[in-house]
Amino acid sequence: MAAVVVSSMMGKMYGLCFHAVRRTAGLKAPWLLHRRAFRISAVHRQQPFDSSLEKPQFPGASADFVDHLEFIQPNVISGIPVYRVMDRQGNIINPSQDPQLSKETVLNFYQKMTLLNTMDRILYESQRQGRISFYMTNYGEEGTHIGSAAALEPTDMVFGQYREAGVLMYRGFPLDLFMAQCYANADDLGKGRQMPVHYGSKDLNFVTISSPLATQIPQAAGAAYALKRENLNRAVICYFGEGAASEGDAHAGFNFSATLECPLIFFCRNNGYAISTPTNEQYRGDGIAARGPGYGMLSIRVDGNDVFAVYNATKEARRRAVAENQPFLIEAMTYRIGHHSTSDDSSAYRSVDEVNYWDKQDHPISRLRHYMTARGWWSEDDERSWRKQSRKTVMEAFERAERRLKPNPELLFTDVYQEMTPGLSRQRDSMWRHVQQYKEHYPVDLYEKQ
Amino acid sequence: MAAAVRFFIRGANSRLSVGTGTSGSLGAALLKLSPSCSSRSKTQRRHAAHFTYQPDPVPTQYGETQKMNLFQSVTSALDNTLSSDPTAVIFGEDVAFGGVFRCTVGLRDKYGKDRVFNTPLCEQGIVGFGIGAAVAGATAIAEIQFADYIYPAFDQIVNEAAKYRYRSGNLFDCGNLTIRAPWGCVGHGSLYHSQSPEAFFAHCPGIKVSPHKVKDNIKCSFTDGDPPHHSRAVMQVPSQIINNPLQKSQDLTKYKINTIIITMKARLKRWICDLLSVFFQSVVKTGRLLVSHEAPVTGGFAAEISSTVQEECFLNLEAPISRVCGYDTPFPHIFEPFYIPDKWKCFEAIKRMINY
């Protein structure tokens, strides 16, 4: 009973919220075409003081009095529904939701997802053989990357966590540069300073990954604010896992982006685990999506194994975020099929059956393949030859990367500051003197010479 | 927090005799709300300055000057930056109405709500937001209300801001980020309105920590290409922008620490030229060094200076390097006069050092 009452109240709340948003959007629509609106919310949303009305006058919330005691119950049994466009066999469920993407686009989606998968397999194995120091696969989450990346403009800025290589893949980041980063060789744009999978690309507007979780979330809000002021029709997307959403920085980022009205899409990959921690030890509410409305943010939950559902949600969020200068939250439900990283054995905390279910029966790649096969866009032969070709391309890049020298050790000292400080250049000189004297104890031959 | 704010505005008003109209009226309004306002002179006088500022000679090389106290010169630096750089934004807790220390008075009216604005009360968010804005190409000037409250943002400063350029191979940087934070003891600030956290940050490669030389330092840090963080004297300030390379004042050999030095400037004229700046040449010449800061002694920045001078000037030193610093305790309320490394503690240390 209580649950019913609450859900109807929640429904009312959502309804009101949507209504308010729709109204503001409608009012502004004519001049949005020319220029983005700067809504000044502090004045705009706080209810006006009027002592003559017999209703609450508290500045902190706009609400009616109620004369009976009732705590608001969280609705976790029947949570926010999961938006889906195609079923597990790749059939479109509701034709009105079909994004009607062209054959080329869909093939591109599929090829990028499978190429990422192939690269994952090869680099994972190479770590097992000790050829690179560390790796993190994207198994099971390929759909979230490709679907969301495809719905963005190439100029939109991406802030990620570390399991979003597919976004870079979609934007055309060369295999050689993926490998260069993992091998930390002389071609690495990051100059070999960070652990593997910490990619970044200025040209592709993909901000360099860092290990501390959730730090990118308030940063994305700041970047979105700056882009809003530039007024160049750009948005920001910020990816993070459901575990990272527990960090204080996530709270900061959600709240800042809402109060400062930033054109930003928060994209949460809820894959059920943060290393070994299952979600019931991560939160007790209705996942991450349910937090959005608490921050005054439009939110949706999608099937992360359905590339079209991800695409549709991101596309619409992107359109509205830019038009209305407000943040959106997308929670993509998915499953982390691989181990957390190469330093983790996930069979220590979850069953193989569970993993197999997601790998064999509900995988974003196989679902899209069903869709393509049903339309006659993809055959067994295509699959075989594409598998072979992608494996060959990846292997070639892999071998090139492995043969390459490491960057000059000089690069250990640059970029700490824009210019090298006198203290740092003294330390650099002292390192070179030392290495010169003791060169037989240092791997100098593996590194590029000065 | 509200109590603290009232407290400090009162303090600022009485000590610095605020000139601007808005801040004056706000101060007066707050005074009216404060029941103890009539008895303030006693407390104030008892803890009245443990230092005396001496105005620098009027600089002539930068053109027209104007008499300003420190917060006014901060406002002036911010004003210059906002007018010359259209991407520059100022944000933090309560900066929109002028800030609890009046450093941003009038800027919102002059430059607009989208450039001078309040953020939610969340330090990690403020710094993270500032980093993001700088990464996207804006000049971001973040304010942390008190240096004591910068620790929630420690992760964003140390792991993110400081390492942005390095870790991305210079693909991305947040060099246009400046974090300003009121800093140091005030006479009655107790544990969380008095701290001098510079040594925590001095251990972190990638950021610049710049106390003093307010206007020129702030100005150059806004445009410096690397993110720093700042500190409080009536002085003649040029009204136009001056660009002073931060590198020089950053160099350890010219590191000035804290108000203590200025106190001593008034009282100990004989040694002042040797003590004002800790540079090797002067140690080579005098053979003695005393380093003093308000922050606690263990792990304080004086340790870094003294070990470096010991390394570089070993043959010239005629006495052990002496450190006169805060004690290794939290910063206390009623015991502040006993806590701070005041002129008498410094004087005594100098006597011992001279007679060594």
Side-chain angles (χ1 to χ4, degrees):
Chain A
M1 178 63 202
V4 175
V5 172
V6 171
S7 75
S8 79
M9 278 179 60
M10 290 275 281
K12 215 161 84 182
M13 251 171 58
Y14 281 89
L16 277 173
C17 183
F18 281 124
H19 177 66
V21 168
R22 225 176 281 135
R23 213 176 41 186
T24 18
L27 279 175
K28 286 186 315 188
W31 50 292
L32 267 172
L33 295 171
H34 306 289
R35 176 171 179 279
R36 281 183 176 183
F38 274 87
R39 295 176 304 154
I40 304 304
S41 57
V43 189
H44 181 82
R45 295 221 186 110
Q46 197 156 322
Q47 65 170 341
F49 177 78
D50 182 355
S51 60
S52 64
L53 294 173
E54 185 48 38
K55 63 180 298 243
Q57 293 298 325
F58 308 109
S62 176
D64 289 329
F65 286 119
V66 61
D67 59 8
H68 55 276
L69 177 71
E70 186 185 333
F71 291 99
I72 304 292
Q73 295 233 14
N75 192 6
V76 290
I77 306 294
S78 162
I80 297 172
V82 183
Y83 171 68
R84 196 157 74 135
V85 171
M86 60 179 164
D87 63 20
R88 285 172 199 152
Q89 283 71 46
N91 306 310
I92 298 290
I93 300 162
N94 176 352
S96 73
Q97 296 296 310
D98 187 348
Q100 311 274 10
L101 298 172
S102 68
K103 181 181 168 187
E104 291 69 45
T105 313
V106 175
L107 285 185
N108 183 35
F109 279 17
Y110 185 76
Q111 291 183 338
K112 291 285 161 59
M113 284 159 73
T114 44
L115 185 61
L116 174 64
N117 191 267
T118 307
M119 183 180 84
D120 275 350
R121 287 177 199 283
I122 289 171
L123 286 177
Y124 182 82
E125 284 310 316
S126 83
Q127 195 283 334
R128 296 284 95 163
Q129 296 164 11
R131 298 161 90 161
I132 60 174
S133 60
F134 179 79
Y135 195 69
M136 295 175 112
T137 61
N138 302 279
Y139 301 149
E141 301 184 46
E142 295 91 342
T144 61
H145 306 176
I146 302 300
S148 57
L152 300 170
E153 296 297 322
T155 50
D156 291 342
M157 249 177 131
V158 180
F159 285 79
Q161 180 166 307
Y162 50 60
R163 216 182 292 281
E164 293 90 12
V167 176
L168 266 175
M169 188 71 91
Y170 188 84
R171 289 194 170 190
F173 197 58
L175 281 173
D176 284 309
L177 290 181
F178 278 112
M179 304 286 174
Q181 201 283 330
C182 290
Y183 269 102
N185 68 25
D187 296 329
D188 177 20
L189 302 173
K191 305 180 186 167
R193 292 170 181 149
Q194 290 211 86
M195 280 173 76
V197 311
H198 291 55
Y199 312 113
S201 169
K202 182 86 177 165
D203 297 338
L204 302 176
N205 294 298
F206 189 98
V207 179
T208 301
I209 300 296
S210 73
S211 306
L213 288 181
T215 49
Q216 81 278 16
I217 300 178
Q219 292 172 13
Y225 190 88
L227 295 188
K228 171 173 85 163
R229 287 201 65 239
E230 273 183 13
N231 196 24
L232 290 172
N233 188 32
R234 290 174 71 190
V236 174
I237 190 163
C238 177
Y239 296 90
F240 53 94
E242 91 287 346
S246 294
E247 293 279 0
D249 280 344
H251 163 66
F254 297 162
N255 201 22
F256 275 54
S257 60
T259 59
L260 297 169
E261 294 160 351
C262 304
L264 169 59
I265 303 162
F266 290 114
F267 194 105
C268 177
R269 298 174 292 97
N270 190 335
N271 61 20
Y273 290 91
I275 305 187
S276 72
T277 308
T279 54
N280 68 338
E281 292 168 21
Q282 200 64 249
Y283 52 73
R284 285 297 161 97
D286 174 24
I288 309 303
R291 297 180 197 169
Y295 291 98
M297 202 160 32
L298 279 92
S299 309
I300 192 169
R301 174 173 282 156
V302 303
D303 183 341
N305 297 339
D306 177 347
V307 69
F308 296 143
V310 173
Y311 174 84
N312 281 354
T314 314
K315 189 95 183 155
E316 179 65 1
R318 200 263 165 206
R319 184 187 70 77
R320 291 190 59 184
V322 172
E324 299 160 18
N325 283 328
Q326 60 167 326
F328 284 76
L329 172 63
I330 299 172
E331 182 185 26
M333 306 310 289
T334 176
Y335 187 84
R336 195 194 78 213
I337 293 174
H339 301 301
H340 164 71
S341 72
T342 48
S343 313
D344 170 54
D345 173 12
S346 67
S347 65
Y349 50 83
R350 60 180 189 180
S351 76
V352 178
D353 289 348
E354 182 184 316
V355 178
N356 275 340
Y357 166 78
W358 294 98
D359 194 18
K360 306 286 179 247
Q361 295 179 44
D362 192 2
H363 196 289
I365 291 180
S366 58
R367 207 191 290 195
L368 187 63
R369 195 174 148 195
H370 287 314
Y371 174 89
M372 298 192 317
T373 312
R375 270 156 198 70
W377 294 352
W378 197 254
S379 65
E380 271 305 320
D381 288 344
D382 293 332
E383 177 71 17
R384 256 195 306 276
S385 73
W386 168 245
R387 286 278 169 187
K388 201 172 156 192
Q389 185 195 334
S390 59
R391 195 175 157 79
K392 185 162 170 278
T393 347
V394 174
M395 280 310 294
E396 282 167 4
F398 176 81
E399 279 158 14
R400 278 194 298 274
E402 199 165 36
R403 283 198 301 269
R404 196 84 173 80
L405 285 174
K406 305 296 178 204
N408 188 324
E410 182 90 3
L411 295 175
L412 151 64
F413 294 96
T414 57
D415 303 328
V416 177
Y417 298 90
Q418 190 170 33
E419 285 159 14
M420 199 182 292
T421 60
L424 261 180
S425 64
R426 281 195 296 272
Q427 294 178 15
R428 177 199 55 189
D429 297 345
S430 120
M431 180 199 84
W432 281 124
R433 277 195 305 275
H434 174 83
V435 170
Q436 204 55 36
Q437 193 181 345
Y438 292 93
K439 43 181 170 306
E440 66 276 21
H441 302 294
Y442 293 90
V444 278
D445 294 340
L446 303 178
Y447 293 77
E448 284 202 327
K449 298 274 176 289
Q450 263 175 307
Chain B
M1 183 46 75
V5 168
R6 192 166 67 228
F7 197 48
F8 279 92
I9 287 177
R10 189 149 57 85
N13 257 335
S14 60
R15 202 176 316 122
L16 298 168
S17 65
V18 176
T20 54
T22 37
S23 62
S25 64
L26 181 105
L30 289 167
L31 279 180
K32 279 179 208 146
L33 296 171
S34 162
S36 62
C37 69
S38 55
S39 62
R40 78 198 154 94
S41 51
K42 201 172 165 188
T43 336
Q44 290 293 312
R45 202 168 300 138
R46 193 171 43 151
H47 295 316
H50 64 87
F51 50 82
T52 315
Y53 286 116
Q54 302 290 318
D56 289 332
V58 180
T60 51
Q61 67 271 41
Y62 306 118
E64 197 189 332
T65 64
Q66 209 181 338
K67 194 170 180 178
M68 291 181 191
N69 62 31
L70 194 142
F71 81 72
Q72 290 163 330
S73 72
V74 171
T75 313
S76 167
L78 297 171
D79 191 351
N80 284 335
T81 304
L82 288 172
S83 72
S84 64
D85 179 355
T87 70
V89 288
I90 298 175
F91 51 90
E93 295 157 15
D94 306 300
V95 300
F97 86 112
V100 299
F101 290 111
R102 327 302 304 135
C103 288
T104 51
V105 167
L107 296 177
R108 182 187 179 93
D109 294 340
K110 192 167 170 187
Y111 296 102
K113 292 164 177 168
D114 67 309
R115 300 191 65 193
V116 182
F117 51 91
N118 289 337
T119 66
L121 210 164
C122 179
E123 285 76 14
Q124 62 211 84
I126 293 171
V127 174
F129 183 89
I131 293 171
V135 168
T139 295
I141 307 167
E143 177 179 303
I144 298 293
Q145 205 158 63
F146 288 86
D148 312 64
Y149 304 128
I150 204 164
Y151 305 119
F154 201 74
D155 181 42
Q156 285 282 355
I157 296 172
V158 174
N159 274 332
E160 293 291 317
K163 300 177 176 40
Y164 233 95
R165 187 189 300 279
Y166 187 78
R167 74 184 186 206
S168 68
N170 207 15
L171 292 180
F172 295 94
D173 70 82
C174 56
N176 289 336
L177 166 68
T178 300
I179 306 166
R180 286 188 309 112
W183 160 98
C185 80
V186 293
H188 45 221
S190 180
L191 283 83
Y192 308 112
H193 299 84
S194 306
Q195 294 181 44
S196 306
E198 68 277 353
F200 287 115
F201 296 100
H203 194 58
C204 174
I207 54 171
K208 296 181 176 181
V209 187
S210 63
H212 272 290
K213 279 285 187 184
V214 178
K215 187 171 170 179
D216 46 348
N217 260 6
I218 292 186
K219 174 58 203 159
C220 70
S221 56
F222 295 155
T223 56
D224 188 53
D226 290 300
H229 119 105
H230 98 110
S231 86
R232 67 201 160 160
V234 179
M235 56 190 145
Q236 293 287 337
V237 177
S239 33
Q240 62 183 55
I241 299 168
I242 45 174
N243 245 325
N244 205 23
L246 192 59
Q247 206 72 60
K248 275 187 191 152
S249 56
Q250 264 291 300
D251 196 330
L252 181 67
T253 56
K254 289 179 188 158
Y255 204 92
K256 288 190 205 173
I257 296 191
N258 217 330
T259 53
I260 293 296
I261 296 296
I262 296 173
T263 321
M264 300 184 57
K265 188 173 171 182
R267 300 286 170 169
L268 299 164
K269 288 206 172 85
R270 218 178 102 199
W271 295 292
I272 194 62
C273 55
D274 302 334
L275 290 165
L276 238 185
S277 304
V278 186
F279 42 91
F280 299 145
Q281 297 96 309
S282 77
V283 175
V284 165
K285 201 168 73 193
T286 63
R288 290 177 170 81
L289 174 65
L290 175 143
V291 193
S292 175
H293 56 60
E294 273 176 26
V297 60
T298 304
F301 197 69
E304 182 62 35
I305 295 178
S306 60
S307 89
T308 309
V309 170
Q310 187 270 134
E311 255 176 58
E312 300 290 327
C313 310
F314 184 72
L315 293 177
N316 302 89
L317 283 169
E318 291 169 18
I321 298 168
S322 170
R323 288 185 290 161
V324 182
C325 303
Y327 301 117
D328 288 337
T329 67
F331 200 107
H333 183 222
I334 202 64
F335 310 120
E336 178 170 321
F338 302 99
Y339 175 84
I340 54 170
D342 62 8
K343 60 192 175 211
W344 301 113
K345 292 179 187 169
C346 289
F347 179 65
E348 173 57 23
I350 289 171
K351 270 202 321 202
R352 265 188 277 118
M353 200 168 66
I354 297 291
N355 298 330
Y356 185 80

